[in-house]
Amino acid sequence: MAIKPRVPVREQPVEQRIHNFDSVPYGYNEEEAMAEAQRCIQCPDPPTCEAGCPVRIKIKDMNRLIAEGKFKEAYLLVKKAHAFPACTGRVCPQEDQCEGACILTKVGQPINIGKLEAFVADWAREHGVEEEGITEEREEKVAIIGSGPAGLACAADLRKFGFKVTIFETLHKPGGVLVYGIPNFRLPKEIVEYEINKLIEMGVEIKLNITIGQNISFEELKRDYDAIFLGTGAGAPQFMGIEGEKLNGVYSANEFLIRANLMKAYLFPEWDTPISVGKRVGVIGAGNVAMDAARTALRLGAEEVYIIYRRKMEYSPARNEEIEHAREEGIIFKELVNPVRFIGDENGWVKGVELIKMELGEKDSSGRPRPVPIKGSEFVMELDTVIEALGTVPNRLFLSRTPGLKTDRKGVIQVDDNLMTSIEGVFGGGDAISGAATVIKALGEGRRAAEAIKEYIDSKKKK
Amino acid sequence: MAHKITRKMDLNSEDFYVEVEAPLVAERFRAGNFVVLITVPHGERIPMSIMKAEDGKISMFIKKLGKTSWELYKSLDQFEHVIGPMGKPIDVKKYGRVVVASDLVCGHAENYALCKALKEAGNYVISFQTFPTAEEVYPEEVLARPVCDEYHLTTEDGSKGEEGHYLDILEEMLESGEKIDIIFAGGSLPNLKELGDLTKDYNIPTIVTVRQIMVDASGMCGACRVFVDGEMQLACIDGPMFDAHKIDWDAALRRPMMYVEQEKIAYERCKKLGRC
Ligand SMILES: Cc1cc2nc3c(=O)[nH]c(=O)nc-3n(C[C@H](O)[C@H](O)[C@H](O)COP(=O)(O)OP(=O)(O)OC[C@H]3O[C@@H](n4cnc5c(N)ncnc54)[C@H](O)[C@@H]3O)c2cc1C
Ligand SMILES: Cc1cc2nc3c(=O)[nH]c(=O)nc-3n(C[C@H](O)[C@H](O)[C@H](O)COP(=O)(O)OP(=O)(O)OC[C@H]3O[C@@H](n4cnc5c(N)ncnc54)[C@H](O)[C@@H]3O)c2cc1C
Ligand code: SF4
Ligand code: SF4
Ligand code: FES
């Protein structure tokens, strides 16, 4: 049986999009979505695609409903699995999850599950589809620390169970990485805002500008709430720790993206926060964060943007779509090189990087070949902005002020099978318990934790 | 959410005083903390020292410098967000004879807060406040005089109080053998570096505010990194006060220059709009 190719996703033309921060994919319209969903061969149960989805969305049924034009039903079905399909449809690493597991990969292109999921969510938003409300109001109060996907997902379910839910967030806008990290051209901010407003309408209270451990102590929260969920993420940047890192013009990707996204530095000077982007920008690393930083730098006016990666791009943890988009936009990939030191000018600004060539050796713990430096292969590359995208670790501010909370060496919070931490009644999920992972994992754990919290509160009540 | 400004007044030709409603911050403020202001909806996150926190309000001293501060001075009667208290408070305990010194707007605000806390903890507190000239001395009501044990007002041209910078007078004091157990200081970064150089010879612990550009001010971006004793520290959560003898001053002095060009653009634009 010949399998039709995927229905292509319309996108903003390259020449145009490198000058703005608007969404790159336009997404499917109704006809396109139906045509793409009709490609699904409705595999016998259990379909392989669903096993690839961390929250087990009923993908097969979703596809069938979309194929029949039953978009509302498709949306309500997806919403049963998790709260933010408009986000995951756009940012999940689908090739490693649902789409990678779709049977059609064996004979052709898998169903574009991500774009279909985003389509139903966008359709529901545009058509104002409402979900069922809260069944019964309950007296117990739950505090959620952090308004990233983990915290939001946990809040949504706990509220549906009837609890009084308060989210505490350090920043002046809720959303975590969805708002401060992932750029608008990948995940339009109005989508996240819409979902968060839904939560507020449901009665979730969001207290911004409050850092637990700093402005309000963890002990106070424990006193005032029946249970606590830690969705504090892994927001602190790691630096290479090499010579020249103190130079001006050297950024962490976190700072660069927070300036650009949360503070809207791309709208400077209408918005007040500045950002500094030279003509030649080097981004160290090749994950999603690196792609976002590189493409942001390009849109902010850089002439040449390099991804500097110590392995080969085939081992990059970034989503295929991002690598593809970056390539189309003219990002230059420098593979098998690693920075040794940054070089500064007489005013203390970075003017280049000394790189050493690498070769691939034995497989390491990540299953990828370990990059090994080639002695004597050092060379200098001129750059006037450096962005380090080396991954993040949990923020030690919170950890250092939460006695009794068990973490590993890096500060990753330890939890049991029920997502309960070493402190009774305190649960965790998302990047805070895994170092740094994915949006869907955070959403899934937020939901699982909500269940566990309900059980915990119910069992305490019985006693 | 807006925070109402309840008092604004000139302190001298460059600096002004602002008192704003911020109950949570006021209730929890401790000496050494700072706040983050977002003055307008599209504003920057701007760190600011606190002079005092009383009755649900906080008071700050602000220099008219760029877009944010000028617009605040000329056009605003409320802030969008007042976030804090942020930063690590100082260890308030009995040290003995303590010097608190300042020569610039942010330092002067802290001077008051630090003196008050340290005096209440039973220390003998000696405060130095240096201004360029008599005309530039702040109004008496905001000086640290009432909250310390020994007060030195100095002007660099000698037109009021003692003549010279606090560095000169402190050096004389140290030379004459006066005993000082610890020094806290804030203000001009180059002068804080010099202070560190001076007190190192006398082995006096010297804790200074390392004012750096901040963004989130909660340890998430690394913008405010300072290098202390070879280790990377974040001014927003580990500081902003650090041991002057251990700071990599070259890096700390350079970082605040990152956005000089952009700041000019922002200010000029704001001026054209008639808000600065
Ligand atoms: C630039 C970038 C691109 C990414 N791209 C992708 C992608 O394409 N696909 C994908 O699946 N994943 C991606 N990720 C990873 C994904 O965003 C994270 O795994 C996910 O956001 C984790 O969610 P979370 O809720 O655990 O934490 P976060 O989203 O980090 O949220 C934590 C929140 O808690 C707040 N907080 C922390 N401490 C406190 C405290 N003490 N008090 C109050 N509030 C606090 C923080 O301010 C923050 O808002 C990306 C990450 C980044 C940085
Ligand atoms: C802990 C701390 C306490 C401070 N206390 C005071 C105070 O009491 N009074 C006072 O007038 N100023 C204080 N500052 C400095 C104040 O934050 C800046 O002067 C302010 O950002 C100026 O904004 P602007 O738009 O008016 O000027 P701009 O033109 O934006 O900036 C002028 C200069 O201010 C500094 N600056 C700019 N943005 C920031 C930022 N986001 N974070 C830190 N510094 C920045 C830079 O050195 C810059 O060159 C403090 C800074 C820190 C870190
Ligand atoms: S949530 Fe992610 S993995 Fe699951 S179906 Fe949607 S895009 Fe695929
Ligand atoms: S595996 Fe692919 S073809 Fe089969 S049901 Fe799932 S999406 Fe459809
Ligand atoms: S301001 Fe971002 S880490 Fe300190």
Side-chain angles (χ1 to χ4, degrees):
Chain A
M1 183 177 62
I3 300 287
K4 279 198 221 154
R6 271 186 172 191
V7 175
V9 180
R10 285 166 295 113
E11 289 177 348
Q12 235 199 109
V14 175
E15 328 63 81
Q16 181 185 325
R17 75 189 194 221
I18 59 172
H19 301 294
N20 67 47
F21 279 77
D22 299 340
S23 181
V24 169
Y26 290 134
Y28 285 146
N29 60 26
E30 293 186 6
E31 293 75 44
E32 289 164 339
M34 285 170 74
E36 177 63 11
Q38 282 157 8
R39 291 205 312 123
C40 170
I41 58 172
Q42 295 289 311
C43 296
D45 283 330
T48 52
C49 53
E50 289 172 17
C53 170
V55 297
R56 301 279 182 274
I57 289 184
K58 297 256 176 247
I59 297 168
K60 174 180 156 181
D61 293 343
M62 170 184 87
N63 288 348
R64 196 190 69 250
L65 290 166
I66 295 173
E68 294 168 0
K70 296 184 178 149
F71 306 134
K72 182 178 168 187
E73 290 77 1
Y75 170 72
L76 293 175
L77 178 78
V78 171
K79 280 288 269 194
K80 279 195 189 140
H82 79 96
F84 302 102
C87 300
T88 49
R90 288 175 167 85
V91 304
C92 265
Q94 284 95 3
E95 61 271 16
D96 304 324
Q97 301 183 356
C98 53
E99 294 177 22
C102 170
I103 201 89
L104 297 185
T105 49
K106 299 210 167 108
V107 288
Q109 293 173 307
I111 301 298
N112 198 336
I113 300 169
K115 290 291 183 292
L116 287 175
E117 185 182 346
F119 163 77
V120 289
D122 292 348
W123 189 92
R125 188 172 66 251
E126 280 150 25
H127 291 78
V129 176
E130 297 293 335
E131 286 174 87
E132 86 268 47
I134 297 127
T135 37
E136 49 152 349
E137 289 289 345
R138 299 187 52 161
E139 274 310 301
E140 297 91 346
K141 301 195 295 183
V142 184
I144 292 183
I145 313 179
S147 67
L152 293 174
C154 191
D157 281 5
L158 285 170
R159 187 65 199 116
K160 279 184 195 154
F161 297 148
F163 294 112
K164 297 194 180 357
V165 181
T166 306
I167 302 181
F168 295 90
E169 169 57 50
T170 293
L171 296 173
H172 61 283
K173 272 189 207 156
V177 173
L178 303 180
V179 164
Y180 80 70
I182 302 181
N184 200 67
F185 54 82
R186 276 222 283 146
L187 182 62
K189 298 303 153 237
E190 65 264 19
I191 291 177
V192 185
E193 272 165 30
Y194 175 87
E195 301 287 359
I196 291 172
N197 282 337
K198 285 260 159 205
L199 290 190
I200 296 171
E201 279 167 27
M202 269 169 73
V204 171
E205 184 186 20
I206 304 185
K207 291 199 170 176
L208 300 172
N209 299 330
I210 291 180
T211 305
I212 302 302
Q214 172 73 26
N215 321 124
I216 292 185
S217 76
F218 184 69
E219 281 71 31
E220 283 178 77
L221 275 202
K222 264 181 59 194
R223 226 181 13 246
D224 296 344
Y225 291 85
D226 296 283
I228 297 177
F229 175 74
L230 308 179
T232 45
Q238 284 181 295
F239 286 91
M240 297 206 70
I242 59 175
E243 189 189 323
E245 215 152 47
K246 301 169 185 172
L247 293 164
N248 284 355
V250 178
Y251 277 107
S252 75
N254 267 36
E255 179 185 351
F256 192 77
L257 291 169
I258 289 177
R259 282 182 181 274
N261 298 317
L262 179 73
M263 305 310 297
K264 300 225 190 301
Y266 63 90
L267 297 175
F268 180 87
E270 282 94 71
W271 285 62
D272 291 350
T273 302
I275 198 162
S276 161
V277 183
K279 289 197 168 75
R280 289 168 60 93
V281 177
V283 179
I284 320 291
N288 285 320
V289 181
M291 296 304 142
D292 285 345
R295 297 173 68 203
T296 297
L298 186 76
R299 284 159 170 77
L300 288 169
E303 286 165 14
E304 286 170 41
V305 183
Y306 297 90
I307 288 282
I308 295 169
Y309 189 33
R310 60 201 181 115
R311 303 178 201 256
K312 287 184 74 82
M313 279 313 288
E314 62 198 269
Y315 301 112
S316 150
R319 300 176 71 229
N320 286 349
E321 189 182 357
E322 307 321 320
I323 299 175
E324 211 32 62
H325 281 156
R327 213 185 288 278
E328 286 167 13
E329 290 168 9
I331 306 292
I332 305 158
F333 296 94
K334 284 253 169 222
E335 303 176 327
L336 293 173
V337 286
N338 204 32
V340 182
R341 67 186 176 104
F342 301 114
I343 304 162
D345 67 13
E346 59 285 356
N347 298 321
W349 277 80
V350 68
K351 66 169 186 187
V353 57
E354 183 178 314
L355 297 169
I356 187 164
K357 292 187 180 156
M358 310 290 278
E359 58 192 354
L360 295 178
E362 302 272 296
K363 285 202 172 138
D364 64 13
S365 58
S366 73
R368 301 173 296 179
R370 183 191 300 281
V372 194
I374 304 174
K375 272 215 179 84
S377 68
E378 291 88 347
F379 66 102
V380 171
M381 186 177 166
E382 275 180 40
L383 292 174
D384 30 33
T385 303
V386 167
I387 305 169
E388 295 189 23
L390 304 168
T392 51
V393 286
N395 188 336
R396 57 196 157 79
L397 168 67
F398 175 70
L399 300 171
S400 66
R401 306 202 184 153
T402 315
L405 188 66
K406 238 165 92 184
T407 67
D408 73 2
R409 212 164 29 85
K410 280 192 156 175
V412 175
I413 298 168
Q414 306 293 296
V415 291
D416 66 15
D417 293 342
N418 279 324
L419 297 173
M420 179 132 85
T421 66
S422 53
I423 306 175
E424 199 204 297
V426 179
F427 297 75
D431 282 2
I433 65 160
S434 61
T438 57
V439 171
I440 189 62
K441 189 169 166 291
L443 290 171
E445 285 164 357
R447 156 157 287 193
R448 272 216 291 138
E451 284 284 346
I453 288 170
K454 179 172 181 289
E455 263 168 47
Y456 167 78
I457 290 178
D458 286 344
S459 74
K460 230 177 45 175
K461 230 175 139 186
K462 268 184 216 138
K463 271 179 205 164
Chain B
M1 244 221 260
H3 297 259
K4 224 171 85 195
I5 295 176
T6 45
R7 190 173 173 208
K8 220 194 258 184
M9 70 165 172
D10 283 319
L11 291 171
N12 63 19
S13 69
E14 295 185 344
D15 306 341
F16 60 105
Y17 171 100
V18 173
E19 181 192 78
V20 64
E21 283 173 356
L24 179 80
V25 182
E27 183 191 320
R28 287 160 195 254
F29 169 74
R30 283 156 70 199
N33 283 144
F34 62 95
V35 279
V36 173
L37 308 177
I38 302 181
T39 54
V40 289
H42 50 273
E44 244 183 302
R45 295 173 67 97
I46 298 289
M48 223 26 98
S49 307
I50 297 177
M51 175 220 172
K52 66 174 185 210
E54 276 171 13
D55 309 326
K57 295 178 206 140
I58 57 167
S59 303
M60 297 169 282
F61 299 166
I62 301 180
K63 185 171 285 310
K64 289 175 270 180
L65 199 59
K67 191 263 174 188
T68 305
S69 45
W70 268 105
E71 185 185 39
L72 166 55
Y73 178 70
K74 277 192 69 174
S75 308
L76 303 185
D77 51 20
Q78 61 174 45
F79 292 154
E80 197 64 16
H81 302 276
V82 178
I83 307 160
M86 304 312 280
K88 220 185 208 163
I90 61 158
D91 193 3
V92 178
K93 62 177 184 191
K94 186 144 185 201
Y95 295 97
R97 290 171 61 84
V98 181
V99 162
V100 181
S102 59
D103 62 356
L104 254 190
V105 61
C106 45
H108 292 320
E110 283 159 7
N111 198 311
Y112 186 98
L114 292 169
C115 283
K116 187 162 180 282
L118 289 162
K119 187 172 155 70
E120 278 165 11
N123 293 287
Y124 182 79
V125 180
I126 308 164
S127 168
F128 286 91
Q129 287 188 290
T130 298
F131 297 89
T133 63
E135 289 86 75
E136 297 300 316
V137 174
Y138 289 177
E140 189 63 34
E141 61 163 311
V142 301
L143 296 178
R145 197 191 303 272
V147 287
C148 67
D149 297 287
E150 184 181 320
Y151 186 70
H152 298 264
L153 176 75
T154 94
T155 51
E156 289 180 271
D157 69 350
S159 51
K160 191 171 179 185
E162 294 165 59
E163 179 170 349
H165 191 274
Y166 74 74
L167 280 168
D168 309 322
I169 298 161
L170 191 64
E171 185 165 12
E172 282 166 26
M173 265 172 95
L174 294 176
E175 268 171 11
S176 74
E178 203 167 316
K179 187 175 148 302
I180 305 290
D181 294 297
I182 190 166
I183 299 174
F184 294 92
S188 139
L189 284 184
N191 289 339
L192 293 175
K193 173 180 191 279
E194 222 175 285
L195 173 67
D197 292 342
L198 168 69
T199 59
K200 203 168 194 168
D201 297 339
Y202 292 92
N203 237 332
I204 303 172
T206 303
I207 313 297
V208 301
T209 302
V210 187
R211 199 163 24 84
Q212 295 291 304
I213 293 180
M214 295 184 180
V215 186
D216 63 295
S218 61
M220 278 168 37
C221 75
C224 65
R225 59 192 184 273
V226 287
F227 296 85
V228 183
D229 221 3
E231 293 276 318
M232 189 181 92
Q233 303 269 310
L234 299 173
C236 65
I237 60 172
D238 303 314
M241 300 198 85
F242 294 103
D243 181 344
H245 300 151
K246 295 182 177 161
I247 292 162
D248 178 340
W249 282 104
D250 288 345
L253 288 167
R254 196 161 62 213
R255 291 220 126 242
M257 309 307 290
M258 271 271 308
Y259 300 101
V260 175
E261 279 169 44
Q262 286 99 322
E263 282 148 7
K264 254 189 239 137
I265 297 171
Y267 174 65
E268 289 305 328
R269 180 175 176 279
C270 178
K271 215 166 125 183
K272 231 188 239 154
L273 294 174
R275 292 180 63 80
C276 278

